[in-house]
Amino acid sequence: MTIGMVTNPRSGGNRKGLNKIREFLAENSQIHHGEAVTPAEVQAVLAGFAARDIDLLIVNGGDGTAQAVLTALYGQAIFARTPVLALLRAGTTSMLARDVGIAGDFPSALAKVTAWAAGTRGSDTAIHERPVLQVHRKDYSAPLCGMFFGVGAIPQGIDLFHRRMNTRGVRGELMPGLILARLLLAVFTGNEKLLPPTDVEIRRDDAAAQRVCCLFTLVSTLERLFLGLRPYWGEEDAPLHLTAVQSKPRYLLRNLPAVLRGRRPAGVSPENGYLSHNARRITLDFTGRFTLDGELFEAASPLTIQAAGPARFLRI
């Protein structure tokens, strides 16, 4: 296989240096490599890979790097034949890679990927197809692409994560869990200064529009978020998971474990402030910021979200 690897030297897992990466590349000179930090740099590296018609693209960065790669692949269609993606856990949280990527640290993950590419791996490897989100913004010609979209408490939590609670660059799933606990404390104590509600009008497929004063609204194609959370329980046969929770939902303390795990007891209902559906096309109208795979953007509402792909991910 023809392999390319894009590395973000500023991602959480690469900030201590690229010595191991350079050693690996010296031993595997057949792998095409490029470094990129910004989305424009990612696009430039991938354009070079497209000219070489690579089959497998290794993403050595965090969720933001993966989001830039998905945008280049499914928003700008750089490749005539889209490569298989191998996401490494090289970011601060690496939520995408934990769901559709390669397990293990850099040396062990790359050993697995190169063995698979050489055809020496066994049946414990698989390519998983998964749709990605294509986010169309008003007044923007090209869509953004990713796998996790959030409004309300979610971008507010990410801002808190970077500004105040993770100044030392702690990696892994613990810190997002602490952020979630801090936000829940704000909900239970009524601290709307830290966590102001967001008015969102939601339109999905052919259903009537719903206006929600929400704590958060999310849309995702991931089956696992950080700490194994799966906060959606829609029953429709459609690729996009949509969940919205009102700013003051009833029985939140009692229902919270079920909501976070995607279960639906009797109290988790629209009447009590809990909404979850699967859809093919979702339009959201709101004011403020949103997040796509951990990156923050201004709304430019209304936004339309639909499925693209499916992308092919190597999971080992």
Side-chain angles (χ1 to χ4, degrees), residues 12 21 46 53 105 146 172 175 184 255 292:
I21 297 169
L46 297 192
D53 197 26
D105 58 13
M175 187 56 68
L184 288 173
N255 291 327
L292 188 61

Side-chain angles (χ1 to χ4, degrees), residues 75-93:
Q76 299 160 348
I78 288 180
F79 284 80
R81 182 173 57 88
T82 308
V84 174
L85 296 173
L87 307 185
L88 305 184
R89 298 182 183 181
T92 301
T93 304

Side-chain angles (χ1 to χ4, degrees), residues 85-104:
L85 296 173
L87 307 185
L88 305 184
R89 298 182 183 181
T92 301
T93 304
S94 297
M95 186 167 68
L96 273 65
R98 292 178 188 275
D99 186 44
V100 291
I102 312 299

Side-chain angles (χ1 to χ4, degrees), residues 11 86 109 155 169 186 272:
S11 69
N272 289 333

Side-chain angles (χ1 to χ4, degrees), residues 27-315:
E27 296 171 357
N28 296 270
S29 58
Q30 78 281 8
I31 295 179
H32 305 286
H33 181 253
E35 295 183 16
V37 175
T38 67
E41 291 170 350
V42 169
Q43 182 177 350
V45 169
L46 297 192
F49 290 168
R52 295 181 170 92
D53 197 26
I54 66 167
D55 306 296
L56 175 65
L57 174 58
I58 302 170
V59 181
N60 179 28
D63 292 330
T65 306
Q67 184 268 318
V69 167
L70 292 173
T71 295
L73 297 181
Y74 297 97
Q76 299 160 348
I78 288 180
F79 284 80
R81 182 173 57 88
T82 308
V84 174
L85 296 173
L87 307 185
L88 305 184
R89 298 182 183 181
T92 301
T93 304
S94 297
M95 186 167 68
L96 273 65
R98 292 178 188 275
D99 186 44
V100 291
I102 312 299
D105 58 13
F106 183 85
S108 62
L110 264 296
K112 294 176 186 178
V113 173
T114 52
W116 177 86
T120 59
R121 291 288 298 184
S123 59
D124 61 328
T125 66
I127 293 178
H128 289 246
E129 291 192 346
R130 189 74 65 81
V132 300
L133 306 177
Q134 196 174 65
V135 182
H136 297 266
R137 297 176 290 173
K138 181 182 178 182
D139 300 329
Y140 286 79
S141 57
L144 296 168
C145 295
M147 301 189 77
F148 180 83
F149 173 98
V151 173
I154 301 169
Q156 293 160 13
I158 290 172
D159 187 50
L160 180 66
F161 176 83
H162 289 295
R163 286 191 304 106
R164 293 168 54 183
M165 293 187 68
N166 196 30
T167 56
R168 295 187 177 182
V170 177
R171 297 180 60 214
E173 298 183 292
L174 175 61
M175 187 56 68
L178 294 176
I179 297 294
L180 175 61
R182 180 67 183 88
L183 295 177
L184 288 173
L185 178 62
V187 173
F188 291 128
T189 58
N191 185 355
E192 292 192 356
K193 183 178 180 180
L194 177 63
L195 204 59
T198 303
D199 287 320
V200 182
E201 184 179 81
I202 303 172
R203 294 185 293 276
R204 54 182 177 83
D205 296 334
D206 297 326
Q210 296 174 273
R211 181 160 289 279
V212 180
C213 182
C214 77
L215 174 62
F216 68 83
T217 299
L218 67 85
V219 182
S220 183
T221 57
L222 295 173
E223 296 300 329
R224 178 200 185 278
L225 307 186
F226 65 92
L227 297 177
L229 302 182
R230 191 184 184 277
Y232 15 80
W233 54 93
E235 299 177 351
E236 298 88 350
D237 182 16
L240 308 182
H241 302 308
L242 163 70
T243 296
V245 175
Q246 292 182 8
S247 61
K248 295 180 180 180
R250 301 179 67 188
Y251 316 120
L252 178 60
L253 185 60
R254 184 176 71 192
N255 291 327
L256 185 62
V259 168
L260 294 179
R261 295 295 180 182
R263 302 189 184 98
R264 188 180 178 181
V268 178
S269 64
E271 295 76 17
N272 289 333
Y274 308 92
L275 173 72
S276 190
H277 293 279
N278 298 328
R280 298 188 180 279
R281 181 183 177 91
I282 299 167
T283 300
L284 303 174
D285 198 346
F286 62 96
T287 300
R289 293 184 299 175
F290 68 89
T291 181
L292 188 61
D293 298 338
E295 299 297 301
L296 297 175
F297 302 89
E298 291 300 323
S301 292
L303 304 175
T304 299
I305 305 173
Q306 58 192 33
R312 294 177 298 153
F313 295 96
L314 178 63
R315 292 179 61 186

